[in-house]
Amino acid sequence: MSGRGQRERRERRRVARGLALLGTVLVLVLFGGVGGASAHAALTGADPQDGSVLKTAPRQVTLTFTESVGLLDDSFRVLDPDNRRVHTGEPGHADGRSDTARVTLPKGLGTGTFTVAWRVVSADSHPVSGAFTFSIGKPSATVAPVPVDPAGDKVSATLYDLARYVAYGGLALLIGAAAFVLVCGFPGPVRRLLLAGWWTLFLSTFALLLLRGPYERGSGPADALDPSVLNETLVSRPGLTLLARLVLLAAVAFYPVRADRRERGVLALGALLTVSLAVTWAAAEHASAGVQVPVAMVSSVLHLLSMAVWLGGLTALLTALYRSAEPLPAATVNRFSRLALASVAVLVVTGVYQSWRGLGSWDALTSTSYGRILVAKLIAVLCLLAGAAYSRRWAGRLMAAAQERAAVAVAVAERVPETVGAPAVVGSGGAPVVADGSGTGSGVVSSGASTTGGASAGADDGAADAEGTSGSPGAGPGPDAPPSDETARYRRALRGSVLAEVTVGIVVLVITTLLTGTQPGRAATEAAAASATAAAGQSAGAATIIPFDVGTPGGHGKVQIELAPGRVGENSVQAVIFGPDGGIATVPELRLTFTLESQRIGPIDAELANRGGYWGADGVTLPVAGTWTMKATVRTTDIDQVTVSKTVRIG
């Protein structure tokens, strides 16, 4: 084997090891750093409210969301104080509104604290779940435990997310390789990528269809083969889109074999099936819910197709550069360069629109998970564009070298005299002669012509040697001639830049899949605003004033206490002492405790610290909702102190 062939083999092994390492890292990221997908829909209200105490038992539980939701057979689980499940009615929508979920409760619930665990499916196909409590009469001493992780089984969610990643990769490989073959006209080793993309997409879609039921219900992977669960999946909107994708893939089964044939019918069928496959994604993702759904669906389809053409085409180009038995024509590289440029333009336009639609405001770019992931994707795309610029630069140089090479070949062919069936060679006297089949020459021209012909032939031989070609003496570089050193250098540089593009492109695909499984910034902002409005409507966050009197002259006044946000969890406390004249007074010590007598919790010491003019504390944790007793102990002198109390509602 030649030295050049050995170098290419070593280079291919390095590329294979690098791609294997990258794949290992991505698998670790998928399994180790990605949790369950957040949903588009977010809970904005519940009736009864979380932590509320009712005088009489409610007849139903109603939830309100930011977007429409789908219901499951097991969308509600209501537990009594003894952790026994309450028999409820069938879940449904309240007043025909698709953004609500409601379940009826039986009569005779009794008293105590009840736990409600709920799980619904948002319009963009992602499940959302949660839990809360309410009390009837008064909070009970025993409460059913609130689920720590209501999101469900993590194994099912991880397997489903992994199948989504693989499906995106299969789509990009199938569409990108097909576009490369049809537009660039170089099937070669790319044909195998078409089959690999088809099988990858088919198997991952089939896995998604099986795992959809456990993913929605939050159950284990064993439920994937449960006929009742599978039947429920097949009649749901996400299940129907997956089933449609399988049918489309079955229809396109013959297309990879005939992709290099450019008949009008093959092209039309390929375009129709490609768009239809992209629609199955848009119909089950963020584009199908929210504002401007028709425009968003079109934008999502175009964005997905341009991504697949660009990234999948890059993989096809890399395969052709490394695996092709013959050098990749410069015209093929140039055609893909134009195709990639058009794809990038579509990606930019649709990406800007989808970012605006998903974020809703500039603040969401940094204050929400969706915005932060979007920033990461933007950085990765900029790196990808930088790699594309280098690839386009080397592709242009390769094309220019090929054109120059072709021009030299034409010039040599025009200057060297030829006869039918035999090339011209130069005789020993410098005169051109015609070589016959035996290698002897015949025919002589005049001396003047001999001198001219000899100079021409010598120039042509020099041009051929400069190009590094082989063949008949005096013949120019043909299409099968080996490339010059300069052309080989351009090809190696192009291989490296395309490999870098493919590597960054895989990262972009991973981030894109994460983005489709994350709650958009617009929905997160709406949910936060609704929660803030609900919290503002409760009196727990308002200032509480407690009068005190230690029984000594001037030993009376009042304590003003502000507890924020006044809900279960961590709270901050600020307390100010006002003297008899209404002005701010200083005292040697102020203690504050919280007690929930109904649950026998407390006293919890707030551990107030004197902050110069007022007393404060951060991180005061109140674990359970209810009516708490807040006791303030005010010491005005070394021996004079008094303890006063007041109740406060913690939501």
Side-chain angles (χ1 to χ4, degrees):
M1 180 179 292
S2 65
R4 179 182 174 187
Q6 292 178 349
R7 287 195 301 271
E8 288 187 352
R9 275 184 50 184
R10 287 195 297 268
E11 192 172 0
R12 289 175 182 175
R13 284 197 296 266
R14 286 196 298 270
V15 171
R17 286 194 296 266
L19 291 178
L21 178 61
L22 176 63
T24 302
V25 172
L26 290 177
V27 168
L28 291 176
V29 169
L30 293 178
F31 280 102
V34 179
S38 301
H40 191 138
L43 182 68
T44 59
D47 183 19
Q49 293 184 359
D50 184 16
S52 61
V53 179
L54 310 177
K55 293 182 179 180
T56 58
R59 293 306 312 275
Q60 56 200 11
V61 174
T62 304
L63 306 178
T64 305
F65 299 88
T66 55
E67 301 290 348
S68 59
V69 294
L71 302 177
L72 305 170
D73 291 340
D74 200 30
S75 281
F76 287 92
R77 288 185 297 118
V78 181
L79 305 175
D80 64 14
D82 296 326
N83 201 21
R84 293 191 300 263
R85 184 163 182 176
V86 176
H87 296 288
T88 60
E90 292 292 331
H93 295 291
D95 302 324
R97 293 173 49 189
S98 60
D99 61 345
T100 62
R102 172 177 289 178
V103 66
T104 58
L105 300 176
K107 297 180 180 179
L109 283 179
T111 60
T113 302
F114 292 79
T115 301
V116 179
W118 53 269
R119 186 178 184 89
V120 296
V121 181
S122 67
D124 60 1
S125 79
H126 299 301
V128 56
S129 58
F132 64 94
T133 62
F134 68 90
S135 301
I136 302 174
K138 64 178 182 178
S140 57
T142 60
V143 181
V146 177
V148 177
D149 183 17
D153 189 271
K154 290 185 177 180
V155 176
S156 296
T158 301
L159 290 176
Y160 188 85
D161 287 338
L162 179 61
R164 290 175 63 241
Y165 284 93
V166 176
Y168 267 104
L171 179 73
L173 201 59
L174 177 63
I175 295 179
F180 184 87
V181 171
L182 291 173
V183 175
C184 303
F186 189 83
V190 179
R191 191 190 306 271
R192 294 182 179 178
L193 286 182
L194 288 166
L195 296 175
W198 187 90
W199 277 109
T200 300
L201 184 55
F202 182 85
L203 293 177
S204 59
T205 302
F206 187 74
L208 286 172
L209 188 64
L210 292 179
L211 291 169
R212 182 67 202 179
Y215 174 68
E216 286 185 348
R217 293 169 170 261
S219 57
D223 285 350
L225 301 179
D226 189 333
S228 61
V229 174
L230 185 60
N231 181 68
E232 186 176 340
T233 299
L234 293 177
V235 297
S236 65
R237 188 166 64 90
L240 289 174
T241 59
L242 292 172
L243 193 60
R245 190 182 304 168
L246 288 176
V247 173
L248 290 171
L249 287 171
V252 81
F254 76 97
Y255 187 72
V257 179
R258 302 183 180 180
D260 55 336
R261 296 176 57 188
R262 298 191 178 188
E263 289 94 343
R264 199 172 288 180
V266 172
L267 293 175
L269 178 62
L272 177 62
L273 293 175
T274 299
V275 173
S276 300
L277 282 173
V279 169
T280 63
W281 257 273
E285 296 292 351
H286 291 157
S288 62
V291 298
Q292 301 178 354
V293 171
V295 179
M297 290 283 288
V298 175
S299 175
S300 179
V301 169
L302 293 176
H303 192 82
L304 188 62
L305 291 178
S306 56
M307 177 275 298
V309 169
W310 185 18
L311 299 184
L314 278 175
T315 306
L317 177 60
L318 185 66
T319 302
L321 286 170
Y322 278 95
R323 310 293 292 183
S324 177
E326 59 185 18
L328 186 65
T332 298
V333 179
N334 192 47
R335 281 194 290 268
F336 177 74
S337 180
R338 293 195 296 267
L339 178 65
L341 185 62
S343 300
V344 169
V346 176
L347 275 172
V348 170
V349 174
T350 55
V352 169
Y353 169 75
Q354 291 183 4
S355 299
W356 166 83
R357 182 176 180 270
L359 286 173
S361 66
W362 286 107
D363 292 338
L365 199 61
T366 56
S367 61
T368 64
S369 297
Y370 184 90
R372 290 187 287 270
I373 297 176
L374 185 62
V375 170
K377 180 182 178 180
L378 177 61
I379 294 174
V381 169
L382 290 177
C383 294
L384 193 58
L385 290 176
Y390 274 101
S391 297
R392 189 170 176 81
R393 172 187 175 188
W394 293 117
R397 291 186 178 183
L398 184 63
M399 189 66 184
Q403 291 173 348
E404 181 180 355
R405 184 178 173 81
V408 171
V410 172
V412 170
E414 290 178 349
R415 288 197 298 269
V416 176
E418 297 180 358
T419 61
V420 177
V425 298
V426 182
S428 60
V433 297
V434 178
D436 58 13
S438 62
T440 60
S442 62
V444 182
V445 296
S446 64
S447 60
S450 299
T451 305
T452 306
S456 175
D460 293 340
D461 288 341
D465 293 339
E467 285 295 319
T469 62
S470 62
S472 300
D480 297 329
S484 65
D485 292 341
E486 187 179 42
T487 303
R489 182 168 64 87
Y490 292 159
R491 291 188 190 278
R492 287 194 298 270
L494 182 61
R495 288 176 181 176
S497 61
V498 172
L499 177 60
E501 278 191 84
V502 171
T503 303
V504 180
I506 294 175
V507 176
V508 171
L509 271 179
V510 171
I511 298 176
T512 300
T513 311
L514 282 174
L515 202 62
T516 58
T518 303
Q519 186 181 65
R522 186 187 297 271
T525 302
E526 291 176 0
S531 298
T533 302
Q538 298 185 12
S539 60
T544 301
I545 298 177
I546 310 176
F548 69 89
D549 189 353
V550 298
T552 61
H556 62 280
K558 56 187 178 182
V559 184
Q560 178 176 299
I561 302 172
E562 292 185 3
L563 181 66
R567 296 184 62 83
V568 171
E570 290 190 353
N571 292 264
S572 61
V573 179
Q574 291 184 1
V576 180
I577 304 294
F578 293 96
D581 58 355
I584 296 178
T586 59
V587 295
E589 184 180 6
L590 175 63
R591 295 197 307 272
L592 185 66
T593 62
F594 294 86
T595 304
L596 184 60
E597 297 177 353
S598 61
Q599 300 281 353
R600 297 182 180 179
I601 300 176
I604 297 174
D605 193 345
E607 299 181 355
L608 297 177
N610 192 343
R611 296 182 176 178
Y614 74 98
W615 296 74
D618 297 318
V620 180
T621 302
L622 303 177
V624 180
T627 303
W628 290 69
T629 300
M630 186 167 54
K631 293 183 179 181
T633 300
V634 184
R635 184 165 62 86
T636 57
T637 66
D638 290 339
I639 60 173
D640 298 317
Q641 71 177 33
V642 66
T643 299
V644 291
S645 63
K646 199 166 188 177
T647 58
V648 61
R649 180 78 182 91
I650 301 299

